[in-house]
Amino acid sequence: LQVTSSFAQEKSDVKKLDDDQRMEWWRDSKFGMFIHWGAYSIIGGERGTQIAGGGAEWAMDKLDYTIEDYEKFPEMFNPTMFDADAWVTMAKNAGMKYIVITAKHHEGFALWDSKVSDYDVIDKAPFKRDVIKELSEACKKQGIKFCFYYSIVDWHHPQAQGNLYPNYNISQHDDPTVVNPKFPKYYKNYMKPQVKELLTNYGDVGVVWFDGDWISDYTTEMGKDLYSYIRDIQPNTIVNNRVDKGRTGMDGMNNNPGQFAGDFGTPEQEIPDTGIDSDWEACMTMNGSWGYKPSDTDWKSSEDLIQKLVDIVSKGGNFLLNIGPDGFGRFPSESIRRLNAMGEWTQKNGEAIYGASASPYAKPKWGRYTKKDGVLYAHVFDWPETGTLKLHKDIKVKKATVLTDSKTVLKSLATSREVVLEVPMLAPDATVSVIKIELAN
Ligand code: FHN
């Protein structure tokens, strides 16, 4: 009884919104920043001449560190150039409306002052600054939603992983024949209390973004329990679908909607071909790695990233674009350049993105459509050399202009087979040009 009543006191007394109200800010936001940062950011995916394949945040596994060996990285974690305000400003200037930071990735190292663990930035690292506190405060100050990522997989905690198995290979931890009888203890006595700390000590949390849902030790009962546990503490928080076991691979969507907990689907490094009716967010890297990896120079172009944002919004999703800061706390210059380019574009064309909904039409050859009440936005990736743009035949144009030039009205011609717009010969924007079409009823 004692326990129940003290828990009840900790329950939030904020007004519980209905689901549409709760999801509204997130649905309108469209664009967020993912930040993968941890002890792995010191390693950069390299051990001597060895380079980790794939994401550098997997260094512990990929570069075969033992748990003891790996601890030296948290012991070195001292990113003196970390400036939460500057990070948030960069996200804001890029047009991002929320930030999701890896409070704890698979390596197990916590970026906040956790009372249930010494494996954190205060107790284990020389840094001794609570990263989550600084970032959540900077977000609040600058009016951007603070959100955190939490890995269910934990390669460091003795009850969560391979200490139980000699010569344990971490990456085989999704083998359903290997059962870790101690995992429920980790879930109850470590994971939940850590998640609770993050939900009680850092103000309002926009999204709780889980990962590591695939391991066989984690059950759907735990997922459902965790979801309601979170909503009890912060009723209006949004939780991704990786809190439960509903995700069916990298397309990130649930097979059986309604059967599993979670508020949105999480396609990873891919964008669905067509629009999806339920909530979803595609997360993606700018090069091939989530964590800082200087050897990976395969950067997506700014134009590609802007087109991806548009593509995602035209299909009803959100775009969570990743940054992997280095071990000093700096964003890679290649990432900054891309954030700046996206900021320039969203500054001019944000009207066609924020609060917009999916295109009612199949994607045209030249680009994508997004929609708002009474308005359609044509996002032109391939500007026509002919000076005419073909629109879907059902579009009834009342008035059309280039979004950045509301004074010049574009002529339109509708025949029974098509609707054609007369557009400038030169593309108004070097990446994606947007035409605003006010619709006749
Ligand atoms: O293994 C992780 C990976 O390191 C990264 O965090 C991504 C982000 O969505 N998720 C995992 C794989 O699904």
Side-chain angles (χ1 to χ4, degrees), residues 95-165:
M96 293 156 157
K97 307 292 186 193
Y98 57 105
I99 293 181
V100 183
I101 182 161
T102 52
K104 186 196 82 167
H105 202 264
H106 309 338
E107 64 176 3
F109 177 57
L111 290 184
W112 75 98
D113 184 12
S114 176
K115 299 299 177 212
V116 289
S117 172
D118 285 341
Y119 204 53
D120 70 30
V121 69
I122 302 292
D123 298 310
K124 191 75 175 171
F127 196 42
K128 307 227 173 304
R129 278 165 55 186
D130 186 325
V131 169
I132 297 302
K133 182 166 188 287
E134 292 184 25
L135 194 66
S136 58
E137 285 173 357
C139 284
K140 192 165 184 196
K141 201 163 77 190
Q142 297 194 47
I144 199 164
K145 292 272 185 187
F146 167 76
C147 316
F148 68 83
Y149 165 113
Y150 186 93
S151 172
I152 296 162
V153 169
D154 191 313
W155 294 331
H156 181 265
H157 195 283
Q159 291 170 338
Q161 49 70 49
N163 278 1
L164 299 165
Y165 318 107

Side-chain angles (χ1 to χ4, degrees), residues 251-293:
D251 81 356
M253 302 308 293
N254 286 5
N255 241 347
N256 301 301
Q259 230 183 68
F260 295 99
D263 297 313
F264 63 91
T266 51
E268 182 167 326
Q269 304 286 37
E270 59 181 78
I271 302 173
D273 281 341
T274 57
I276 297 178
D277 230 4
S278 57
D279 292 302
W280 61 278
E281 171 191 70
C283 57
M284 213 171 268
T285 49
M286 287 190 183
N287 58 0
S289 176
W290 301 95
Y292 175 64
K293 191 177 188 188

Side-chain angles (χ1 to χ4, degrees), residues 34 36 57-58 105-106 149 209 211 214 242 268 283 290:
F34 215 174
H36 274 69
E57 71 289 353
W58 274 67
H105 202 264
H106 309 338
Y149 165 113
W209 213 105
D211 202 2
W214 62 83
R242 300 187 189 185
E268 182 167 326
C283 57
W290 301 95

Side-chain angles (χ1 to χ4, degrees), residues 383-390 421-425:
W383 192 259
E385 287 166 359
T386 53
T388 55
L389 186 76
K390 280 188 189 166
L421 269 191
E422 265 182 38
V423 295
M425 289 304 289

